[in-house]
Amino acid sequence: MATMNELYQGIIIEHDRSPRNFRTLDAPTHSGEGRNPLCGDEMSLQLVVDAEGVITDVGFQGRGCAVSKASSSMMTAAIKGKTVAEATELFDQFHALLTGKDADRTALGKLVAFEGLGAYPMRVKCATMGWHVLKDVVGHKS
Amino acid sequence: MLRSLDYAGSPSEPASLGMTGLREQFPILSATSRGKPLVYLDSAATTQKPQVVIDAERDFYTGWNANIHRGVYEYSERATVAYDGTRATAARFLGGVDADEIVFVRGTTEAINLVAQSFFRPRIATAGATVLVTEMEHHANIVPWQLAGATLVPIPVTDAGELDMEAATRLLAARPAMLAVMHVSNALGTINPIAELCAMARTHGVPVLIDGAQAVGHFAVDLPALGADFYCFSGHKLFGPTGTGVLWGRREHLAMMPPYQGGGDMIDLVRFEGSSFARPPERFEAGTPNIAGVIGLNAAMQWVMAQDTRAWERHDRELLELGRHLLGEIPGLRFIARPADAVGVLTFAMDGAHPHDIASILDGEGICIRAGHHCAQPLHVRFGVPSSARASFGPYTTEAEVRALATGLQKVRELFG
Ligand SMILES: Cc1ncc(COP(=O)(O)O)c(C=O)c1O
C-alpha cells in the first residue's frame, strides 16, 4: 500500500496538476456545493443526468487541497456513464476502502489507488469531500 | 545580548541554539513520529508537558485521589488544600494579584464564555451591546460575545499583522461596552500593545478582557502593570494539562456577577423556593472541577516560574529570525504577515501547494505543523487567503528543528514545483 509521500508522488500530484472534468457545465440537471469546515475548502459539482438516470456529464470546480482535488477528479471520471444508483454505491465502496472495511476492488478500479490514505484518518475527509457533495447533489435537482 | 546567527550554518558555528537541560525534561520530545525523530512545531496548539507536570497528576491519582470540599478525612483535606492552594500559585504567576480573584475554568474558551454571560450580558441594558474586538481574534474571543447578544466591532489589522492603533484609539473613544483582545496572536504571533490599549480603555471607562492563551507560555505576564479587568489562559498551552484554565477578574467585577452555571459547590443555601450563591471564586465553579488537572497546572506554573523566561524570549526571537530567514529563501513561499514584535510563529502559504498538503508532506518527515484557519477565519478573510500553514515554537524548540522545517519545505517545493 502506498504511503502518503508515494501517493503524493503519484496520482495526487498528477490529478492536482491536470484535474479531469474541472469545468462548469452549461445545462446541468443537478448542482450543489460542499464545504469542509475544518479547512474552509469548498467545491461545487454539476451533473447532467438523463431520463434513464445515467450521469452523462459531470463537472467540478473548487478550492481545495491536492488530495480533495485529485479524489474529486478521479470520482468524476469514475461516475461518468454510470447511473446515479451505481455512483452512490461506488461511494459506499470507496468509503469502505478508506476505512479499512471489505470493499469491492473490481468495482472501484483505479480508485483503489487511494487505499493508502486509510492510514491517515485526518485526510480521509479530504478524499471523500467530492463524494459527499455528489451524494448531496443527486438529491437536489437544479 | 543576542548572539548573531550565521544563517548559512557554517561548520564554524557554535553548538546549535537550544536551552540546555530543558528538552530532557519533556519525555515526548525524544519520541518518533512516522518512524522519524519527532519535530514538534505546533506548540501554539498545545505545548508538550514536562515530567514534573505528568508526575503531579499521576501522584495525585496513585497516592491521594479524593474529591475536594466537604470531606473531613485526610485525603479530601489534602486534595482541597492542593486545589485551592493553586489559586495562590496562579495569583503569583500573574504578577501578584489576589488569590480569591482566580477562577478555575476548563480553558480560555470557558473563561470568555463566563465573562460574556455573567459580566457583559447583564450590562447590555446600561452599557450597550457593542464589543470591540480585533480582526486577529481567535473564534473563542468572537463567538461567546455573539452568543451573549453582542454587536462586534473589529479593530483592523495592518498588512504587517499588527493592530491599527489609530483605529483602536478612535473606536475606544466611542465607548463600547467592552474591549476583548488577545495578548498574543495564535495565528501570526503578534504581541499586541496591551498596556497601551488598557490605558486608553480606562480613560473611556471601557472594561477590558485579555485573552492570554498564547502569551503565558512565552513570557512572564505582570497583571498589575497591565491594568486589565479580566485575563484568562488555558493550562494546556502553559505546559499543563488539558481541561484546565484560569480566569482572573477584578474583585469588584466578580462580586457583582451572577453565577455562570448552577450546581454543587457554587451555592450558599439551596431551597426549592430559591437558592443563594457562594462568594467568588466558588460562585463560578459549579460541580466537581478538574482536580487532578488543577494540581498539574500548579506544577506547570511552579515550573515556569523557576525558569529563566527572559532567556526563553531571546531564544524564541532568535529562532523566529532564523525561521523567517530560511523560509524566506524558499521560492513561492510567502508569510501571511511579519509583525515586528512577535513570538515564535511562522505562518505562510506556498504557491500551488495547499496548506494541508504541506502539512501532510512534512508529517511524512516527522514534522508536526498545523494547516487551516487556526480558529481565526476573519483574519484569513482580512489577508485574502482561505487557509495557511503554521509552525510554532516552544522553549524546547531547537535550531535543528527549524532547519528541518526548511528542508522539509524544500521537498514540498520540489514536489509541487
Ligand atoms: C489566542 C487563543 N485564544 C483562545 C484559545 C482557545 O483555548 P482553549 O481551546 O484552550 O479554550 C486559543 C487556543 O486555541 C488561542 O490560541
Side-chain angles (χ1 to χ4, degrees), chain A residues 43 67 76 100 126 140:
Chain A
M43 81 162 278
V67 173
T76 60
C126 307
H140 310 271

Side-chain angles (χ1 to χ4, degrees), chain B residues 324-342:
Chain B
R324 281 182 177 175
H325 175 83
L326 293 175
L327 270 55
E329 291 189 324
I330 297 170
L333 184 148
R334 72 207 142 73
F335 292 105
I336 304 303
R338 294 159 66 110
D341 200 9

Side-chain angles (χ1 to χ4, degrees), chain A residues 4-5 8-9 13 16-17 37-41 63-67 119-120 123 126, chain B residues 34 352 354 356-358 360-361 363-365 371-373 377 386-387 414-417:
Chain A
M4 185 64 92
N5 280 2
Y8 269 105
Q9 281 153 21
I13 292 294
D16 184 52
R17 287 209 182 117
L38 288 180
C39 54
D41 285 353
R63 182 182 76 187
C65 62
V67 173
Y120 306 88
R123 301 308 304 274
C126 307
Chain B
R34 309 272 186 222
H354 187 284
H356 272 181
D357 299 316
I358 298 172
S360 269
I361 290 161
D363 170 54
E365 307 294 321
H373 49 60
Q377 284 182 4
S387 59
E414 283 157 25
L415 207 53
F416 282 89

Side-chain angles (χ1 to χ4, degrees), chain B residues 44-46 106-112 136-141 182-187 211-215 233-237 243-244 374-375 390:
Chain B
T46 197
R106 277 198 299 130
T108 309
T109 302
E110 189 176 47
I112 299 173
M136 62 172 81
E137 286 322 298
H138 187 282
H139 298 165
N141 205 15
M182 60 195 342
H183 197 163
V184 172
S185 161
N186 63 308
D211 168 355
Q214 296 293 338
F233 64 87
S234 302
H236 73 97
K237 294 184 199 281
T244 66
H374 323 300
C375 294
R390 179 190 74 187

Side-chain angles (χ1 to χ4, degrees), chain B residues 73-315:
Chain B
Y73 55 91
E74 183 192 353
Y75 281 12
S76 176
E77 202 172 79
R78 267 181 82 179
T80 304
V81 168
Y83 178 83
D84 283 327
T86 303
R87 296 187 209 279
T89 310
R92 221 161 16 96
F93 177 73
L94 291 172
V97 291
D98 283 336
D100 57 6
E101 294 177 318
I102 299 292
V103 180
F104 293 124
V105 287
R106 277 198 299 130
T108 309
T109 302
E110 189 176 47
I112 299 173
N113 276 279
L114 194 164
V115 175
Q117 292 296 336
S118 292
F119 177 77
F120 163 73
R121 188 175 203 147
R123 292 171 80 249
I124 291 180
T126 51
T130 305
V131 175
L132 194 58
V133 292
T134 80
E135 264 181 340
M136 62 172 81
E137 286 322 298
H138 187 282
H139 298 165
N141 205 15
I142 296 175
V143 185
W145 304 107
Q146 293 174 326
L147 292 182
T151 305
L152 297 181
V153 174
I155 298 172
V157 167
T158 66
D159 288 344
E162 296 163 355
L163 292 182
D164 176 343
M165 290 300 280
E166 257 172 51
T169 307
R170 190 165 26 80
L171 292 167
L172 271 169
R175 307 186 64 158
M178 191 87 209
L179 167 64
V181 55
M182 60 195 342
H183 197 163
V184 172
S185 161
N186 63 308
L188 300 174
T190 321
I191 302 173
N192 287 321
I194 292 300
E196 199 181 324
L197 284 167
C198 286
M200 284 200 284
R202 197 138 287 267
T203 63
H204 297 293
V206 177
V208 184
L209 173 135
I210 298 171
D211 168 355
Q214 296 293 338
V216 288
H218 285 279
F219 51 80
V221 171
D222 185 5
L223 280 193
L226 285 183
D229 292 271
F230 297 96
Y231 195 95
C232 52
F233 64 87
S234 302
H236 73 97
K237 294 184 199 281
L238 184 70
F239 319 101
T242 52
T244 66
V246 165
L247 167 68
W248 167 81
R250 281 186 190 280
R251 175 194 311 281
E252 59 268 30
H253 292 326
L254 294 179
M256 47 134 307
M257 285 160 59
Y260 171 56
Q261 293 181 327
D265 270 336
M266 52 72 74
I267 49 90
D268 170 33
L269 208 66
V270 177
R271 294 291 181 268
F272 287 115
E273 300 75 43
S275 303
S276 57
F277 310 115
R279 280 208 289 259
E282 284 82 7
R283 185 187 298 163
F284 305 105
E285 296 177 10
T288 300
N290 186 353
I291 304 165
V294 165
I295 287 166
L297 175 62
N298 194 340
M301 291 187 291
Q302 305 264 17
W303 180 79
V304 174
M305 285 190 280
Q307 308 296 313
D308 181 357
T309 51
R310 287 269 171 214
W312 284 15
E313 286 175 56
R314 285 193 296 273
H315 176 63

